[in-house]
Amino acid sequence: MIPVIFDNDIGVDDAMALLLLDASNAVNLLGITTRFGNADIETTTRNALIVRDMFNIQTPVFKGAGEPIGLRLGEGHPVHVHGKNGLGDIPLPTPHSQPEALPAAQALVQLTRVAGRKVTVIAVGGLTNIADALRLDPDFPER
């Protein structure tokens, strides 16, 4: 199985991608890292937790970047696509779980260090968490 970390700004599309990754027999999902984008960081992290809880995904969620590294392009979030709650404004339950204490960039570094082999990072959104991981560990891309 391919070890994978799913780095995302979970909205409708990323939720579906997460479900497909979890269902795949070819993937060992090591972690879910969140970032701002389709919604603010609190909302995207909450959405990842809700999807994980609803579908019994046994993978830790790590909260990541809440702001861009440089200038932000545009204002707000794409509410016309993902709604105000990031998941199409459907009614959502309160998550039963919490994100891990380790920030996403540190989790990316740590999970790739302990994996024992190369890890595939599937980043579907901005690359802020990846950039932050590179700042922490310049050898991160080698893993």
mmCIF file of all heavy atoms in Angstrom, residues 66-117:
data_model
loop_
_atom_site.group_PDB
_atom_site.id
_atom_site.type_symbol
_atom_site.label_atom_id
_atom_site.label_comp_id
_atom_site.label_asym_id
_atom_site.label_seq_id
_atom_site.Cartn_x
_atom_site.Cartn_y
_atom_site.Cartn_z
ATOM 1 N N GLY A 66 -3.493 28.964 8.525
ATOM 2 C CA GLY A 66 -4.699 29.777 8.513
ATOM 3 C C GLY A 66 -4.584 31.001 7.641
ATOM 4 O O GLY A 66 -5.570 31.689 7.388
ATOM 5 N N GLU A 67 -3.381 31.277 7.172
ATOM 6 C CA GLU A 67 -3.111 32.469 6.350
ATOM 7 C C GLU A 67 -2.041 32.128 5.321
ATOM 8 O O GLU A 67 -1.231 31.234 5.528
ATOM 9 C CB GLU A 67 -2.602 33.621 7.220
ATOM 10 C CG GLU A 67 -3.623 34.166 8.201
ATOM 11 C CD GLU A 67 -4.792 34.864 7.529
ATOM 12 O OE1 GLU A 67 -4.589 35.459 6.441
ATOM 13 O OE2 GLU A 67 -5.900 34.800 8.069
ATOM 14 N N PRO A 68 -2.014 32.861 4.222
ATOM 15 C CA PRO A 68 -0.961 32.630 3.235
ATOM 16 C C PRO A 68 0.395 33.115 3.735
ATOM 17 O O PRO A 68 0.469 33.916 4.667
ATOM 18 C CB PRO A 68 -1.423 33.461 2.026
ATOM 19 C CG PRO A 68 -2.269 34.529 2.612
ATOM 20 C CD PRO A 68 -2.924 33.932 3.827
ATOM 21 N N ILE A 69 1.433 32.641 3.115
ATOM 22 C CA ILE A 69 2.787 33.080 3.461
ATOM 23 C C ILE A 69 3.033 34.495 2.948
ATOM 24 O O ILE A 69 3.624 35.314 3.628
ATOM 25 C CB ILE A 69 3.829 32.107 2.866
ATOM 26 C CG1 ILE A 69 3.719 30.762 3.571
ATOM 27 C CG2 ILE A 69 5.236 32.667 2.985
ATOM 28 C CD1 ILE A 69 4.534 29.671 2.949
ATOM 29 N N GLY A 70 2.551 34.779 1.767
ATOM 30 C CA GLY A 70 2.749 36.092 1.154
ATOM 31 C C GLY A 70 1.427 36.822 1.008
ATOM 32 O O GLY A 70 0.514 36.647 1.824
ATOM 33 N N LEU A 71 1.330 37.587 -0.031
ATOM 34 C CA LEU A 71 0.103 38.328 -0.288
ATOM 35 C C LEU A 71 -1.031 37.381 -0.662
ATOM 36 O O LEU A 71 -0.828 36.415 -1.401
ATOM 37 C CB LEU A 71 0.316 39.325 -1.428
ATOM 38 C CG LEU A 71 1.318 40.446 -1.161
ATOM 39 C CD1 LEU A 71 1.526 41.263 -2.422
ATOM 40 C CD2 LEU A 71 0.832 41.329 -0.021
ATOM 41 N N ARG A 72 -2.195 37.677 -0.160
ATOM 42 C CA ARG A 72 -3.360 36.870 -0.488
ATOM 43 C C ARG A 72 -3.979 37.388 -1.781
ATOM 44 O O ARG A 72 -4.131 38.594 -1.965
ATOM 45 C CB ARG A 72 -4.380 36.939 0.636
ATOM 46 C CG ARG A 72 -5.554 36.038 0.381
ATOM 47 C CD ARG A 72 -6.459 35.957 1.573
ATOM 48 N NE ARG A 72 -7.507 35.002 1.258
ATOM 49 C CZ ARG A 72 -8.023 34.182 2.117
ATOM 50 N NH1 ARG A 72 -7.619 34.198 3.353
ATOM 51 N NH2 ARG A 72 -8.965 33.359 1.761
ATOM 52 N N LEU A 73 -4.323 36.469 -2.648
ATOM 53 C CA LEU A 73 -4.962 36.833 -3.911
ATOM 54 C C LEU A 73 -6.475 36.831 -3.690
ATOM 55 O O LEU A 73 -7.077 35.795 -3.474
ATOM 56 C CB LEU A 73 -4.593 35.838 -5.013
ATOM 57 C CG LEU A 73 -3.109 35.704 -5.301
ATOM 58 C CD1 LEU A 73 -2.868 34.604 -6.330
ATOM 59 C CD2 LEU A 73 -2.550 37.024 -5.803
ATOM 60 N N GLY A 74 -7.076 37.977 -3.695
ATOM 61 C CA GLY A 74 -8.511 38.061 -3.507
ATOM 62 C C GLY A 74 -8.907 38.125 -2.049
ATOM 63 O O GLY A 74 -8.088 38.034 -1.141
ATOM 64 N N GLU A 75 -10.192 38.271 -1.836
ATOM 65 C CA GLU A 75 -10.762 38.384 -0.494
ATOM 66 C C GLU A 75 -11.744 37.257 -0.247
ATOM 67 O O GLU A 75 -12.398 36.778 -1.169
ATOM 68 C CB GLU A 75 -11.493 39.724 -0.353
ATOM 69 C CG GLU A 75 -10.588 40.937 -0.429
ATOM 70 C CD GLU A 75 -9.695 41.078 0.786
ATOM 71 O OE1 GLU A 75 -10.144 40.779 1.902
ATOM 72 O OE2 GLU A 75 -8.528 41.468 0.610
ATOM 73 N N GLY A 76 -11.874 36.858 0.986
ATOM 74 C CA GLY A 76 -12.891 35.890 1.359
ATOM 75 C C GLY A 76 -12.630 34.490 0.843
ATOM 76 O O GLY A 76 -11.498 34.128 0.524
ATOM 77 N N HIS A 77 -13.706 33.726 0.770
ATOM 78 C CA HIS A 77 -13.645 32.323 0.366
ATOM 79 C C HIS A 77 -14.704 32.078 -0.707
ATOM 80 O O HIS A 77 -15.664 32.835 -0.814
ATOM 81 C CB HIS A 77 -13.877 31.422 1.584
ATOM 82 C CG HIS A 77 -12.933 31.708 2.702
ATOM 83 N ND1 HIS A 77 -11.620 31.328 2.684
ATOM 84 C CD2 HIS A 77 -13.105 32.389 3.865
ATOM 85 C CE1 HIS A 77 -11.026 31.740 3.792
ATOM 86 N NE2 HIS A 77 -11.907 32.394 4.525
ATOM 87 N N PRO A 78 -14.585 31.011 -1.493
ATOM 88 C CA PRO A 78 -15.525 30.779 -2.592
ATOM 89 C C PRO A 78 -16.885 30.247 -2.104
ATOM 90 O O PRO A 78 -17.259 29.104 -2.369
ATOM 91 C CB PRO A 78 -14.787 29.759 -3.472
ATOM 92 C CG PRO A 78 -13.914 29.013 -2.520
ATOM 93 C CD PRO A 78 -13.496 30.029 -1.486
ATOM 94 N N VAL A 79 -17.624 31.089 -1.397
ATOM 95 C CA VAL A 79 -18.918 30.660 -0.859
ATOM 96 C C VAL A 79 -19.913 30.341 -1.969
ATOM 97 O O VAL A 79 -20.836 29.551 -1.757
ATOM 98 C CB VAL A 79 -19.505 31.698 0.125
ATOM 99 C CG1 VAL A 79 -18.634 31.831 1.361
ATOM 100 C CG2 VAL A 79 -19.713 33.035 -0.535
ATOM 101 N N HIS A 80 -19.718 30.903 -3.153
ATOM 102 C CA HIS A 80 -20.604 30.596 -4.283
ATOM 103 C C HIS A 80 -20.415 29.160 -4.774
ATOM 104 O O HIS A 80 -21.265 28.625 -5.471
ATOM 105 C CB HIS A 80 -20.379 31.597 -5.421
ATOM 106 C CG HIS A 80 -19.007 31.559 -6.006
ATOM 107 N ND1 HIS A 80 -17.899 32.066 -5.344
ATOM 108 C CD2 HIS A 80 -18.558 31.046 -7.175
ATOM 109 C CE1 HIS A 80 -16.832 31.878 -6.099
ATOM 110 N NE2 HIS A 80 -17.198 31.259 -7.209
ATOM 111 N N VAL A 81 -19.309 28.517 -4.384
ATOM 112 C CA VAL A 81 -19.040 27.134 -4.771
ATOM 113 C C VAL A 81 -19.297 26.190 -3.597
ATOM 114 O O VAL A 81 -20.017 25.207 -3.737
ATOM 115 C CB VAL A 81 -17.574 26.974 -5.249
ATOM 116 C CG1 VAL A 81 -17.259 25.517 -5.560
ATOM 117 C CG2 VAL A 81 -17.305 27.862 -6.451
ATOM 118 N N HIS A 82 -18.690 26.489 -2.441
ATOM 119 C CA HIS A 82 -18.716 25.568 -1.304
ATOM 120 C C HIS A 82 -19.658 25.993 -0.183
ATOM 121 O O HIS A 82 -19.771 25.284 0.815
ATOM 122 C CB HIS A 82 -17.296 25.415 -0.733
ATOM 123 C CG HIS A 82 -16.349 24.815 -1.722
ATOM 124 N ND1 HIS A 82 -16.323 23.469 -2.000
ATOM 125 C CD2 HIS A 82 -15.412 25.384 -2.528
ATOM 126 C CE1 HIS A 82 -15.407 23.225 -2.922
ATOM 127 N NE2 HIS A 82 -14.846 24.376 -3.264
ATOM 128 N N GLY A 83 -20.312 27.131 -0.335
ATOM 129 C CA GLY A 83 -21.205 27.607 0.711
ATOM 130 C C GLY A 83 -20.440 28.207 1.872
ATOM 131 O O GLY A 83 -19.211 28.151 1.932
ATOM 132 N N LYS A 84 -21.164 28.772 2.806
ATOM 133 C CA LYS A 84 -20.527 29.400 3.965
ATOM 134 C C LYS A 84 -19.873 28.387 4.893
ATOM 135 O O LYS A 84 -18.880 28.682 5.550
ATOM 136 C CB LYS A 84 -21.542 30.243 4.736
ATOM 137 C CG LYS A 84 -21.987 31.470 3.971
ATOM 138 C CD LYS A 84 -22.989 32.288 4.750
ATOM 139 C CE LYS A 84 -23.429 33.474 3.912
ATOM 140 N NZ LYS A 84 -24.494 34.238 4.565
ATOM 141 N N ASN A 85 -20.417 27.178 4.951
ATOM 142 C CA ASN A 85 -19.837 26.173 5.840
ATOM 143 C C ASN A 85 -18.810 25.289 5.135
ATOM 144 O O ASN A 85 -18.289 24.343 5.714
ATOM 145 C CB ASN A 85 -20.924 25.329 6.511
ATOM 146 C CG ASN A 85 -21.576 24.329 5.588
ATOM 147 O OD1 ASN A 85 -21.284 24.240 4.395
ATOM 148 N ND2 ASN A 85 -22.506 23.563 6.139
ATOM 149 N N GLY A 86 -18.516 25.580 3.875
ATOM 150 C CA GLY A 86 -17.488 24.846 3.142
ATOM 151 C C GLY A 86 -17.954 23.529 2.554
ATOM 152 O O GLY A 86 -17.251 22.922 1.765
ATOM 153 N N LEU A 87 -19.131 23.063 2.951
ATOM 154 C CA LEU A 87 -19.658 21.806 2.426
ATOM 155 C C LEU A 87 -21.069 21.991 1.885
ATOM 156 O O LEU A 87 -21.995 21.241 2.192
ATOM 157 C CB LEU A 87 -19.627 20.707 3.507
ATOM 158 C CG LEU A 87 -18.243 20.187 3.864
ATOM 159 C CD1 LEU A 87 -18.313 19.189 5.012
ATOM 160 C CD2 LEU A 87 -17.547 19.555 2.662
ATOM 161 N N GLY A 88 -21.241 23.027 1.072
ATOM 162 C CA GLY A 88 -22.491 23.243 0.376
ATOM 163 C C GLY A 88 -23.640 23.714 1.239
ATOM 164 O O GLY A 88 -24.796 23.639 0.829
ATOM 165 N N ASP A 89 -23.345 24.191 2.428
ATOM 166 C CA ASP A 89 -24.357 24.676 3.370
ATOM 167 C C ASP A 89 -25.382 23.626 3.773
ATOM 168 O O ASP A 89 -26.490 23.958 4.188
ATOM 169 C CB ASP A 89 -25.049 25.945 2.844
ATOM 170 C CG ASP A 89 -24.123 27.144 2.902
ATOM 171 O OD1 ASP A 89 -23.196 27.142 3.743
ATOM 172 O OD2 ASP A 89 -24.312 28.078 2.107
ATOM 173 N N ILE A 90 -25.012 22.353 3.664
ATOM 174 C CA ILE A 90 -25.891 21.311 4.199
ATOM 175 C C ILE A 90 -25.779 21.345 5.726
ATOM 176 O O ILE A 90 -24.753 21.774 6.266
ATOM 177 C CB ILE A 90 -25.523 19.903 3.661
ATOM 178 C CG1 ILE A 90 -24.086 19.521 4.066
ATOM 179 C CG2 ILE A 90 -25.715 19.828 2.158
ATOM 180 C CD1 ILE A 90 -23.720 18.081 3.780
ATOM 181 N N PRO A 91 -26.795 20.923 6.437
ATOM 182 C CA PRO A 91 -26.693 20.880 7.902
ATOM 183 C C PRO A 91 -25.609 19.876 8.311
ATOM 184 O O PRO A 91 -25.560 18.759 7.797
ATOM 185 C CB PRO A 91 -28.075 20.391 8.347
ATOM 186 C CG PRO A 91 -28.978 20.597 7.176
ATOM 187 C CD PRO A 91 -28.115 20.530 5.952
ATOM 188 N N LEU A 92 -24.746 20.305 9.214
ATOM 189 C CA LEU A 92 -23.631 19.459 9.637
ATOM 190 C C LEU A 92 -23.683 19.226 11.148
ATOM 191 O O LEU A 92 -24.000 20.144 11.906
ATOM 192 C CB LEU A 92 -22.297 20.116 9.280
ATOM 193 C CG LEU A 92 -22.021 20.307 7.791
ATOM 194 C CD1 LEU A 92 -20.786 21.172 7.587
ATOM 195 C CD2 LEU A 92 -21.858 18.957 7.113
ATOM 196 N N PRO A 93 -23.323 18.030 11.570
ATOM 197 C CA PRO A 93 -23.251 17.776 13.005
ATOM 198 C C PRO A 93 -21.997 18.409 13.599
ATOM 199 O O PRO A 93 -21.086 18.821 12.875
ATOM 200 C CB PRO A 93 -23.161 16.248 13.081
ATOM 201 C CG PRO A 93 -22.479 15.857 11.807
ATOM 202 C CD PRO A 93 -22.969 16.850 10.777
ATOM 203 N N THR A 94 -21.954 18.478 14.888
ATOM 204 C CA THR A 94 -20.742 18.901 15.582
ATOM 205 C C THR A 94 -19.768 17.724 15.558
ATOM 206 O O THR A 94 -20.180 16.579 15.787
ATOM 207 C CB THR A 94 -21.069 19.280 17.040
ATOM 208 O OG1 THR A 94 -22.032 20.328 17.011
ATOM 209 C CG2 THR A 94 -19.833 19.724 17.796
ATOM 210 N N PRO A 95 -18.502 17.966 15.272
ATOM 211 C CA PRO A 95 -17.561 16.828 15.266
ATOM 212 C C PRO A 95 -17.434 16.221 16.662
ATOM 213 O O PRO A 95 -17.530 16.915 17.668
ATOM 214 C CB PRO A 95 -16.242 17.444 14.809
ATOM 215 C CG PRO A 95 -16.408 18.910 14.846
ATOM 216 C CD PRO A 95 -17.856 19.227 14.942
ATOM 217 N N HIS A 96 -17.231 14.914 16.695
ATOM 218 C CA HIS A 96 -17.044 14.197 17.960
ATOM 219 C C HIS A 96 -15.586 14.179 18.384
ATOM 220 O O HIS A 96 -15.279 13.839 19.517
ATOM 221 C CB HIS A 96 -17.529 12.752 17.827
ATOM 222 C CG HIS A 96 -18.959 12.636 17.456
ATOM 223 N ND1 HIS A 96 -19.990 13.046 18.269
ATOM 224 C CD2 HIS A 96 -19.545 12.175 16.316
ATOM 225 C CE1 HIS A 96 -21.144 12.832 17.674
ATOM 226 N NE2 HIS A 96 -20.901 12.317 16.483
ATOM 227 N N SER A 97 -14.707 14.534 17.487
ATOM 228 C CA SER A 97 -13.277 14.440 17.761
ATOM 229 C C SER A 97 -12.617 15.802 17.618
ATOM 230 O O SER A 97 -13.240 16.771 17.203
ATOM 231 C CB SER A 97 -12.638 13.425 16.807
ATOM 232 O OG SER A 97 -12.890 13.785 15.467
ATOM 233 N N GLN A 98 -11.354 15.846 17.941
ATOM 234 C CA GLN A 98 -10.546 17.064 17.878
ATOM 235 C C GLN A 98 -9.344 16.815 16.976
ATOM 236 O O GLN A 98 -8.898 15.674 16.843
ATOM 237 C CB GLN A 98 -10.043 17.450 19.272
ATOM 238 C CG GLN A 98 -11.141 17.791 20.254
ATOM 239 C CD GLN A 98 -11.836 19.088 19.873
ATOM 240 O OE1 GLN A 98 -11.197 20.059 19.484
ATOM 241 N NE2 GLN A 98 -13.163 19.084 19.950
ATOM 242 N N PRO A 99 -8.786 17.887 16.400
ATOM 243 C CA PRO A 99 -7.540 17.684 15.651
ATOM 244 C C PRO A 99 -6.408 17.344 16.616
ATOM 245 O O PRO A 99 -6.483 17.632 17.817
ATOM 246 C CB PRO A 99 -7.307 19.038 14.974
ATOM 247 C CG PRO A 99 -8.064 20.019 15.796
ATOM 248 C CD PRO A 99 -9.218 19.281 16.406
ATOM 249 N N GLU A 100 -5.393 16.745 16.087
ATOM 250 C CA GLU A 100 -4.199 16.445 16.875
ATOM 251 C C GLU A 100 -3.550 17.757 17.312
ATOM 252 O O GLU A 100 -3.747 18.793 16.673
ATOM 253 C CB GLU A 100 -3.204 15.628 16.038
ATOM 254 C CG GLU A 100 -3.764 14.334 15.515
ATOM 255 C CD GLU A 100 -4.126 13.357 16.601
ATOM 256 O OE1 GLU A 100 -3.330 13.192 17.545
ATOM 257 O OE2 GLU A 100 -5.222 12.761 16.514
ATOM 258 N N ALA A 101 -2.763 17.716 18.375
ATOM 259 C CA ALA A 101 -2.099 18.928 18.883
ATOM 260 C C ALA A 101 -0.986 19.403 17.957
ATOM 261 O O ALA A 101 -0.704 20.599 17.879
ATOM 262 C CB ALA A 101 -1.549 18.666 20.280
ATOM 263 N N LEU A 102 -0.363 18.496 17.249
ATOM 264 C CA LEU A 102 0.749 18.824 16.359
ATOM 265 C C LEU A 102 0.242 19.606 15.146
ATOM 266 O O LEU A 102 -0.697 19.173 14.481
ATOM 267 C CB LEU A 102 1.411 17.523 15.897
ATOM 268 C CG LEU A 102 2.794 17.581 15.287
ATOM 269 C CD1 LEU A 102 3.812 18.093 16.300
ATOM 270 C CD2 LEU A 102 3.188 16.194 14.795
ATOM 271 N N PRO A 103 0.830 20.767 14.847
ATOM 272 C CA PRO A 103 0.428 21.508 13.647
ATOM 273 C C PRO A 103 0.738 20.722 12.374
ATOM 274 O O PRO A 103 1.647 19.885 12.338
ATOM 275 C CB PRO A 103 1.269 22.786 13.714
ATOM 276 C CG PRO A 103 1.717 22.894 15.124
ATOM 277 C CD PRO A 103 1.831 21.486 15.636
ATOM 278 N N ALA A 104 0.000 21.015 11.318
ATOM 279 C CA ALA A 104 0.104 20.263 10.071
ATOM 280 C C ALA A 104 1.520 20.198 9.514
ATOM 281 O O ALA A 104 1.973 19.128 9.097
ATOM 282 C CB ALA A 104 -0.848 20.851 9.031
ATOM 283 N N ALA A 105 2.231 21.320 9.476
ATOM 284 C CA ALA A 105 3.586 21.310 8.903
ATOM 285 C C ALA A 105 4.504 20.373 9.694
ATOM 286 O O ALA A 105 5.276 19.608 9.106
ATOM 287 C CB ALA A 105 4.163 22.721 8.869
ATOM 288 N N GLN A 106 4.412 20.409 10.997
ATOM 289 C CA GLN A 106 5.216 19.504 11.827
ATOM 290 C C GLN A 106 4.781 18.058 11.620
ATOM 291 O O GLN A 106 5.617 17.153 11.602
ATOM 292 C CB GLN A 106 5.117 19.892 13.294
ATOM 293 C CG GLN A 106 5.815 21.187 13.621
ATOM 294 C CD GLN A 106 5.666 21.571 15.089
ATOM 295 O OE1 GLN A 106 5.197 20.802 15.911
ATOM 296 N NE2 GLN A 106 6.058 22.794 15.401
ATOM 297 N N ALA A 107 3.483 17.836 11.453
ATOM 298 C CA ALA A 107 2.989 16.483 11.199
ATOM 299 C C ALA A 107 3.516 15.956 9.867
ATOM 300 O O ALA A 107 3.895 14.778 9.773
ATOM 301 C CB ALA A 107 1.465 16.473 11.208
ATOM 302 N N LEU A 108 3.539 16.799 8.847
ATOM 303 C CA LEU A 108 4.086 16.381 7.556
ATOM 304 C C LEU A 108 5.529 15.912 7.708
ATOM 305 O O LEU A 108 5.914 14.868 7.187
ATOM 306 C CB LEU A 108 4.004 17.531 6.548
ATOM 307 C CG LEU A 108 2.619 17.817 5.974
ATOM 308 C CD1 LEU A 108 2.562 19.216 5.377
ATOM 309 C CD2 LEU A 108 2.245 16.774 4.932
ATOM 310 N N VAL A 109 6.315 16.676 8.432
ATOM 311 C CA VAL A 109 7.712 16.314 8.653
ATOM 312 C C VAL A 109 7.810 15.016 9.453
ATOM 313 O O VAL A 109 8.513 14.082 9.080
ATOM 314 C CB VAL A 109 8.473 17.466 9.353
ATOM 315 C CG1 VAL A 109 9.847 17.017 9.812
ATOM 316 C CG2 VAL A 109 8.576 18.672 8.421
ATOM 317 N N GLN A 110 7.092 14.946 10.550
ATOM 318 C CA GLN A 110 7.186 13.782 11.439
ATOM 319 C C GLN A 110 6.658 12.513 10.776
ATOM 320 O O GLN A 110 7.293 11.460 10.862
ATOM 321 C CB GLN A 110 6.417 14.048 12.727
ATOM 322 C CG GLN A 110 6.512 12.902 13.723
ATOM 323 C CD GLN A 110 5.834 13.236 15.029
ATOM 324 O OE1 GLN A 110 5.885 14.358 15.499
ATOM 325 N NE2 GLN A 110 5.195 12.251 15.620
ATOM 326 N N LEU A 111 5.506 12.588 10.135
ATOM 327 C CA LEU A 111 4.936 11.398 9.499
ATOM 328 C C LEU A 111 5.832 10.858 8.398
ATOM 329 O O LEU A 111 5.948 9.641 8.229
ATOM 330 C CB LEU A 111 3.539 11.706 8.944
ATOM 331 C CG LEU A 111 2.438 11.928 9.972
ATOM 332 C CD1 LEU A 111 1.175 12.461 9.300
ATOM 333 C CD2 LEU A 111 2.146 10.654 10.748
ATOM 334 N N THR A 112 6.493 11.743 7.654
ATOM 335 C CA THR A 112 7.395 11.267 6.602
ATOM 336 C C THR A 112 8.686 10.704 7.192
ATOM 337 O O THR A 112 9.279 9.802 6.603
ATOM 338 C CB THR A 112 7.713 12.373 5.574
ATOM 339 O OG1 THR A 112 8.319 13.491 6.231
ATOM 340 C CG2 THR A 112 6.457 12.816 4.843
ATOM 341 N N ARG A 113 9.102 11.212 8.326
ATOM 342 C CA ARG A 113 10.319 10.680 8.971
ATOM 343 C C ARG A 113 10.099 9.270 9.499
ATOM 344 O O ARG A 113 10.987 8.430 9.404
ATOM 345 C CB ARG A 113 10.758 11.587 10.120
ATOM 346 C CG ARG A 113 11.503 12.801 9.689
ATOM 347 C CD ARG A 113 11.990 13.599 10.884
ATOM 348 N NE ARG A 113 12.706 14.793 10.448
ATOM 349 C CZ ARG A 113 12.864 15.875 11.189
ATOM 350 N NH1 ARG A 113 12.355 15.947 12.408
ATOM 351 N NH2 ARG A 113 13.527 16.899 10.708
ATOM 352 N N VAL A 114 8.957 9.000 10.093
ATOM 353 C CA VAL A 114 8.731 7.702 10.732
ATOM 354 C C VAL A 114 8.159 6.654 9.776
ATOM 355 O O VAL A 114 8.049 5.491 10.146
ATOM 356 C CB VAL A 114 7.829 7.824 11.980
ATOM 357 C CG1 VAL A 114 8.445 8.745 13.008
ATOM 358 C CG2 VAL A 114 6.425 8.270 11.626
ATOM 359 N N ALA A 115 7.808 7.040 8.564
ATOM 360 C CA ALA A 115 7.167 6.114 7.630
ATOM 361 C C ALA A 115 8.082 4.974 7.200
ATOM 362 O O ALA A 115 7.610 3.894 6.864
ATOM 363 C CB ALA A 115 6.659 6.857 6.404
ATOM 364 N N GLY A 116 9.379 5.206 7.190
ATOM 365 C CA GLY A 116 10.303 4.155 6.785
ATOM 366 C C GLY A 116 10.441 3.996 5.280
ATOM 367 O O GLY A 116 11.200 3.151 4.819
ATOM 368 N N ARG A 117 9.706 4.767 4.528
ATOM 369 C CA ARG A 117 9.813 4.767 3.065
ATOM 370 C C ARG A 117 9.201 6.053 2.548
ATOM 371 O O ARG A 117 8.642 6.835 3.303
ATOM 372 C CB ARG A 117 9.151 3.554 2.448
ATOM 373 C CG ARG A 117 7.661 3.471 2.712
ATOM 374 C CD ARG A 117 7.104 2.185 2.234
ATOM 375 N NE ARG A 117 5.986 2.425 1.332
ATOM 376 C CZ ARG A 117 5.167 1.494 0.931
ATOM 377 N NH1 ARG A 117 5.349 0.260 1.315
ATOM 378 N NH2 ARG A 117 4.170 1.770 0.130
#
